[in-house]
Each structure stands twice: as structure tokens, then as C-alpha cells.
Amino acid sequence: MDIVLSAHGGGGKLTEELIQEVFLNEFDSDILNEMEDSAVLDIDFNKLAFTTDSYTVKPLFFPGGDIGRLAVCGTINDLLTRGAVPLFLSASFIIEEGFRLYDLKRIASSMARTCREAGVKIVAGDTKVVARGDADGIFINTSGAGYVPFGVNISVKNAKPGDKVIISGTIGDHGMAVLSSREDFTFDPPLESDCAPLVDIVNTLRSFGESVRVLRDPTRAGVAEVLYNISRASGVGIEIYEEKLPVKPQVASACNMLGLDFLQLANEGKLVAVVESSAAAKILEAIKKCKNGREAAIIGTVNDSGQITARTALGTSRILSRPVGELVPRIC
Amino acid sequence: MGTNQVLRSVNTELKIMEVCGTHSEVVSKYALRQFYTGRVKLVSGPGCPVCVIASEDIDLIIEYARCGFTIVTFGDLIRIPGTVSSLAVELARGKSIKVVYSPLDALAMAKDNPSNQVIFVAVGFETTAPLVALTIMKAKKEGIKNFSVLSLHRTMPQILRTLFQTGVNLDGLILPGHVCTITGSKPFEFLARDFGITAVISGFAPEDIMESIEIIRENLHRPSIYIQYKRAVSTSGNMVAQEAIKKVFKPCDALWRAFGLIKDSGLAIKEAWSFFDARKRWPIKPIHHKQALNKKCSCEDIMKGILTPLECPLFRTFCRPESPIGPCMVSSEGSCAIYYKYGG
């Protein structure tokens, strides 16, 4: 058998075979292997971070990643940006009847690999099969839990005037990579999604204590939306230096051609950090030493204007507006 | 000497219009108005090919969608309001409406779905027309039976003539670099000859526009069509592309939002290709609705460069990108959407 049948969702023998063959084999998790109705987890901390996210990206496999890697990274990164140490994930699959088992295994294997990379374990899961046409291939939901180390207080409400804004690398890679693979644009050199867990960068930032005020991963709606969120939650303004924004030339020129703004494109392995001004240079240097942080840059300063503005290369200043509606659908 | 050639010293504020949506975006993105405060007033003209589509034409497209045709077009068009609905609303109701980046994708869609009649709604100025012409030629060569084109193409020279005939007061004009790459500078020479206007065909980097403004400033009293965008534009233009347009299209009168019917300002598909002309092959009449546009909407005056979006009473209050009232707020190349996005 090489495709998923509706009988695989029936809860009986075929369901068990599918779970065993695809998920248990790949995920290799002692807690999951017990096949209990819920996972019982040994924990020893008093602050828990908990989050959930659903993934519907199209195409399922894109340059630099796939829906499985995305589903693990997205949820882990949402834990990391609160300063948490991610530990456990759940994974739920809604699969369209007729989906190729080979592809399902590729997705499961990619999830397992990403979990190992990030040091987290999948401890709970679910599989449902729906009729042909009732879903588009596969949708995945993951929830994640982790502990927040004592004294860590990272929140979107913490930005203060004078703070510096850092981005951990080039902007808009994921959005443009998915868009281009969907529309069959090719780039030279090729463009890949940045999809990656942010574990190493966040672990590096831990040593800077309270100098790190806000962390946020600029996924859907991009850096522009994150800046807006920070501004509103902290009651501050932010000025961005347009010339300092790191962006790959392929992304910049494709944006020009298509009339898109790379600040509004999704990223899946990037971090926006608001840090205390006096520590900014050292923090930037530390991020640059991380595998996914080599192109990090200080891109702006927090002020008390209440507005998000961009300083252009000409020295003029303009509003940086919040994304409205859907720029590119089904990006994550 | 034309009516528009007002003799001024370089110390007074000059009023210069750009007539290309891409130029308008660059002007706002780099806050060039702020840079030129007190020296140059930059206003936007009718350069957004989507904004100028009349609501009657949107009604026609919606009627095709409701009759079961697959409508394929460029993204911005689907949000433009007709008199009672928009393509976006029809899409949400389950009508078959697809967005592509190239007319060739529409042809491929027709080939892949032989049981559907596909209508490609062609919008744009002289820049996109050659590609649509080539697509029609390809469809004929390959014998594709379920593909046709609704041409809503508009051409630049006549709308500019109309603009100046209605007496707009400008010191200079920044002409669209992409359109002129195809047409060359010749079709615009009447601007200098008949109206005494100094115009510059400009590139799209901020420094291109700044250089074009300087060229206008230096040549205020020497009206002519200057080419700043020399790396792409010549006097005669791209002959191959012009031939493609000529082979498939002929000039026709066209309805413009804000301007009304303008003689020879559009492109219709020639008789020889009428099998691919949706109007000829599928002649339907949309139900005519009374114009439901908000009376306070200033899009008409904004497209003529009389008002800026900031002077419209609906701007930012009732008219926003997520709930646009006028067409200039809908398309990303529309003046209002650009002002909203960048602040001016």
C-alpha cells in the first residue's frame, strides 16, 4: 500500500499500523511509544510556557524545508521567544485520503530530525483522515511546552526608548522561497527558506540577562508586523534604518518585480530582539557567532514617538505601515 | 508657447506630476516629498492601470464569472469595486476566479482544464500588452479552443492629452519608464509641441527620479521630451514589442474611471483574432446598476492631480486598504494606497 486510505483514520488496526510504521518509528519517543491516552510528564519547575500552531503551507515541500520541519520550528520558536527552554511537542495530522505514504514518511522523518536538532521530544499525537477534497494533502497542528528559567522575563511589553532593535539575519527568505516554488520562479543563486529552530541564538542570549527585553519571531506578516506589535504592547515608537536591513539580493529584486515589501514577508528562522543600548554591540557580536545568525544586524532604535518610521538612504523619514490582509496566502 | 509653460524662477515651488504607479511608490517610499519640501511639489497622475478601470468593466467581468467562465487576471484587479460587487466577493461566493503573474499561466490553465472556458482579463498599459499579444498568438498556433481575452488595455498618450486639454497646471511631467521602453519617446512628443511641457522619461531608482527632477528644473523653458532612463528607453522604442501589439490589437475608445470615454485610449483585439476576443465570442451585457460610489470619494480629482489623498475627507477615516471606498485605495499602485502605506 502506498497511499493513505480513509480506513487509516478509523481508529482500528489500520490506524495502529499507520501510527507504528510512520510516526512511532520516526519519532522514537519513549513517552509516545507507551500509546497511552495522554502523556504524563516528569517536570521540575514552576513556570511553564505553552503554545500551539497549525500549518497549512503550500507546497508541502519547498526549497530549504517542508511542512514537517516548519511545524516543529514554528512552535519551538514561539516557546523560545518567551525565553523558555522547549521540551515537549504534540503533533496532530489531518490527512487527505489518497495522500502518498512516501510523502508522509518524509514529513515525519523531517520532523524527527528537526526535534533532535532542537533537543525536544514529541510526546503526544493524533491522526485523522478526511475524504478527498476535504483537505489539501495534509495539515499539521503542533503544540509545545517548555519551562521558563528562574528570573527570565522576556515579553513584547518590555521595550524602552533608547533600546536597539536587532534582526538575526536576512529578511523575507521563507516567504519568497515558498512563493517562488509555488509560482515556479527560479533564482540564481537559488533561494532557500530560512526555516530553522532558534535554539542556539536564544541560548546565546541567555547570558545577557535582563539586557534582552523582547524576542519575537517575525513569521506571517513579517518584521513590519512584529515592530507594530512591540510598539503597541510597549507603548513606544521604533525607527528603522532602511540601509541597515539585511536582505538577499534575490529577495529584494523579486520583491521589486512583484510589488511586495520584504518587511512584510514571512521568516521561519529569524529573531527580532530588542536589547538594552549599552549591551547591543556585544549581543550582536554573540548572535553573529551562531550558525543562523551570521548576517545579524542592528536595524533600529526604540523611541517614544509611538510611531513606526523608516529612515531612508536619503535621510528622509516615512511611515512603516502595518501589513493589511493577506500578502501571500498559505505561507506557513 | 503652451498654456502650461508658466515662466517661473527656480526659487518658486515647482509642480511636477508622475504618471506611473511604480514612480508614485518610489516617491513615497523614499519620502521624496519631504526631501523637496518648498522646492518641488510632486503629484501623482492617472498611472495606475487597475485604478482607471471603470466600474462598468468590473460589472462585465463579474457577469462572466456568474455565467460560469473561469476568470483569470492579475491580483489587484480582484479587489476593485464594481457598482454592487467585486471579484473578491464573487471568489468568496465560490465563483472560479484565479490570480496569475503572467498571461501565459492563464493559457496553461486553459490547456489543463479543457472543459472550462477561461477568460483572461488583460489590464495594463503598453507594458503588458505585448505579452498578451504573444499569448493570443500562441493560443491560435496551438489551437486552444477554451481560451479568450477580455482586453481592458489602456494606452498612455491619449490620457495625457486629455489631462492637459482639461487645463491641469503643471511645470513638468515624469513619464513612465516601462511604458516608454516599449513605445519609445516619440508618441509623447506632442506634450512639448502642443502644451509646452517639459517631460522626462525616468527610471525607477530614487536617484533616477531625482535626476529627472533636476532635468526638468534645468529645462523649464526648453519644453521637450528628455530621456533620463537611457539604459532602457530609446526614441523609437522596442520595435518587436510594438509589432506584436500592432499585429493583435487596434486602438479603440475606452472608458476611464474619473475621465470617462476617451477616444483611441484603449486597445481592442483585431478582427483576425476575434476567436480569442471574449467580447466578440461571448457577447453578454452586464446588468447596469446605478453608480453606487460614495460622493465624497476624491479619487477622480486625485487621479487628475488636483487633490492629494491627504485632502480627501474619507482618507484614513472611512477609506482604508482593508475597506477601500475608491479604486485608488485598492491597487498597490494607487495613490491613496501608497500614501496610506508610507504616510505621504
Side-chain angles (χ1 to χ4, degrees), chain A residues 179 183 185 242 256 258-259 261 264 312-314 316-321 324, chain B residues 28-32 34-35 101 105 206 210 316 321-322 332 340-343:
Chain A
L179 181 65
E183 301 294 337
F185 306 146
E242 227 168 26
N256 260 340
L258 301 172
D261 182 352
Q264 299 186 2
T312 72
L314 302 170
T316 51
S317 170
R318 66 164 165 92
I319 288 178
L320 198 91
S321 66
V324 179
Chain B
S28 287
K29 189 170 178 186
Y30 289 88
L32 288 181
Q34 191 184 343
F35 185 81
Y101 288 102
D105 295 342
M210 293 168 86
R316 267 189 203 280
E322 64 270 30
S332 58
Y340 189 95
K341 186 172 177 193
Y342 298 115

Side-chain angles (χ1 to χ4, degrees), chain B residues 105-269:
Chain B
D105 295 342
L107 188 60
M109 234 175 249
K111 278 198 261 185
D112 293 344
N113 302 283
S115 58
N116 290 357
Q117 277 295 342
V118 172
I119 296 180
F120 178 70
V121 180
V123 289
F125 293 109
E126 290 89 335
T127 339
T128 43
L131 190 54
V132 174
L134 290 176
T135 307
I136 291 175
M137 290 182 215
K138 191 167 188 248
K140 186 168 190 178
K141 197 175 162 198
E142 296 180 5
I144 311 290
K145 301 270 187 279
N146 61 327
F147 177 79
S148 55
V149 173
L150 176 65
S151 172
L152 298 179
H153 282 300
R154 300 285 183 267
T155 50
M156 237 336 147
Q158 288 309 313
I159 186 68
L160 292 178
R161 182 182 288 279
T162 307
L163 192 69
F164 285 104
Q165 277 168 347
T166 56
V168 66
N169 185 18
L170 294 172
D171 296 300
L173 201 56
I174 294 177
L175 289 172
H178 293 146
V179 167
C180 295
T181 306
I182 306 292
T183 63
S185 60
K186 267 204 187 115
F188 296 93
E189 280 169 1
F190 73 91
L191 289 167
R193 195 178 57 232
D194 301 349
F195 299 102
I197 273 286
T198 301
V200 181
I201 298 167
S202 176
F204 295 91
E207 54 272 28
D208 287 328
I209 295 177
M210 293 168 86
E211 190 184 351
S212 298
I213 291 170
E214 286 317 305
I215 295 172
I216 291 172
R217 231 207 275 256
E218 284 165 18
N219 295 287
L220 269 185
H221 311 309
R222 283 183 290 275
S224 182
I225 308 302
Y226 298 88
I227 302 176
Q228 182 276 336
Y229 195 29
K230 288 201 177 99
R231 56 194 190 273
V233 177
S234 64
T235 325
S236 51
N238 180 334
M239 300 308 279
V240 177
Q242 287 174 34
E243 282 307 313
I245 296 179
K246 255 187 223 156
K247 196 167 171 187
V248 174
F249 294 108
K250 60 181 182 193
C252 68
D253 301 349
L255 198 56
W256 293 62
R257 207 183 280 247
F259 293 89
L261 195 71
I262 296 175
K263 200 173 160 35
D264 289 341
S265 66
L267 293 174
I269 296 170

Side-chain angles (χ1 to χ4, degrees), chain B residues 54 59 123 135 139 150 215 221 230 274-275 300 319-320 339:
Chain B
D59 289 348
V123 289
T135 307
L150 176 65
I215 295 172
H221 311 309
K230 288 201 177 99
S274 59
F275 183 75
E300 300 199 357
C319 187
R320 301 154 177 265
Y339 267 70

Side-chain angles (χ1 to χ4, degrees), chain A residues 23-102:
Chain A
F23 299 118
L24 294 186
N25 279 358
E26 288 292 349
F27 293 165
D28 188 28
S29 156
D30 46 352
I31 300 171
L32 199 59
N33 287 345
E34 289 167 8
M35 294 283 274
E36 295 275 9
D37 276 355
S38 66
V40 174
L41 311 167
D42 280 327
I43 50 174
D44 183 21
F45 48 81
N46 57 18
K47 270 194 182 173
L48 179 80
F50 183 63
T51 187
T52 187
D53 212 334
S54 298
Y55 300 85
T56 63
V57 66
K58 184 180 182 177
L60 299 172
F61 301 90
F62 48 84
D66 55 75
I67 190 170
R69 182 167 174 81
L70 196 64
V72 172
C73 293
T75 297
I76 290 177
N77 290 345
D78 281 349
L79 294 171
L80 286 161
T81 50
R82 291 304 307 277
V85 177
L87 296 174
F88 306 115
L89 284 184
S90 73
S92 291
F93 301 85
I94 294 172
I95 308 168
E96 186 187 9
E97 178 187 23
F99 194 68
R100 294 203 310 167
L101 267 181
Y102 171 76

